Amino acid sequence: MLTIIGKYFSKDEVLVKLHPRIAGNINYNFDTIRDEIPFEIASSSLDFTNAIAITCYSGACVMSILMFGDSSAKAVFLQRVCANDLKASKLVAFIKRVQNYYGQDKIFSPSSIDEFEMFLKENKRIEGVKELSSR
């Protein structure tokens, strides 16, 4: 998936946040964050309004939307592309419920690699993550 993302976004535009339990030193060809800080906490101090969070299963991306609404990242769930049918079907039902409330412009779940690439083409002019201004 990172190869596909790399076709539309430069190395400077992508940040890979690894799950804390991922072991090893894999080269993802993008900058990576390997820390114990949950994504929800990072989301509380940064403005993700013009960013995209791409994941196969991360509930943190949904929690960020539920907690921060409009200032959260647009979330793309690749479970239908990455997973077996049984595992994906449970998450698909959940994602559809969240989509009913927030809409596909906030949470998107492509059914194929081609649909994912079309989404990336349409969204490649995003601004990215910004520091929240002090209030």
Side-chain angles (χ1 to χ4, degrees):
M1 290 300 160
L2 289 174
T3 303
I4 294 170
I5 294 166
K7 287 168 54 176
Y8 301 97
F9 296 95
S10 72
K11 181 178 167 101
D12 296 336
E13 296 174 306
V14 176
L15 181 63
V16 177
K17 181 168 180 355
L18 302 172
H19 192 280
R21 290 189 297 258
I22 290 181
N25 293 321
I26 300 170
N27 181 2
Y28 291 97
N29 294 322
F30 293 107
D31 290 335
T32 60
I33 298 174
R34 182 184 301 268
D35 60 23
E36 298 292 322
I37 299 171
F39 183 71
E40 298 91 335
I41 292 174
S43 296
S44 71
S45 61
L46 297 169
D47 181 0
F48 282 83
T49 304
N50 292 305
I52 301 171
I54 302 171
T55 183
C56 284
Y57 302 108
S58 176
C61 291
V62 172
M63 287 306 298
S64 179
I65 292 170
L66 298 175
M67 292 166 60
F68 305 111
D70 290 339
S71 66
S72 64
K74 186 179 291 189
V76 178
F77 280 84
L78 300 174
Q79 78 285 351
R80 293 192 282 181
V81 177
C82 297
N84 64 50
D85 291 338
L86 178 61
K87 190 172 186 180
S89 66
K90 292 178 182 181
L91 189 55
V92 167
F94 175 72
I95 296 302
K96 284 182 181 179
R97 290 181 71 191
V98 177
Q99 280 178 325
N100 286 338
Y101 188 76
Y102 287 97
Q104 277 205 352
D105 59 323
K106 197 63 178 171
I107 186 166
F108 178 65
S109 179
S111 57
S112 68
I113 297 289
D114 290 340
E115 192 175 4
F116 176 54
E117 283 203 62
M118 183 71 80
F119 173 86
L120 293 175
K121 283 180 196 175
E122 293 170 358
N123 288 279
K124 68 182 189 177
R125 295 286 176 240
I126 60 168
E127 295 175 26
V129 178
K130 297 179 182 173
E131 294 284 334
L132 283 176
S133 57
S134 57
R135 299 172 201 203

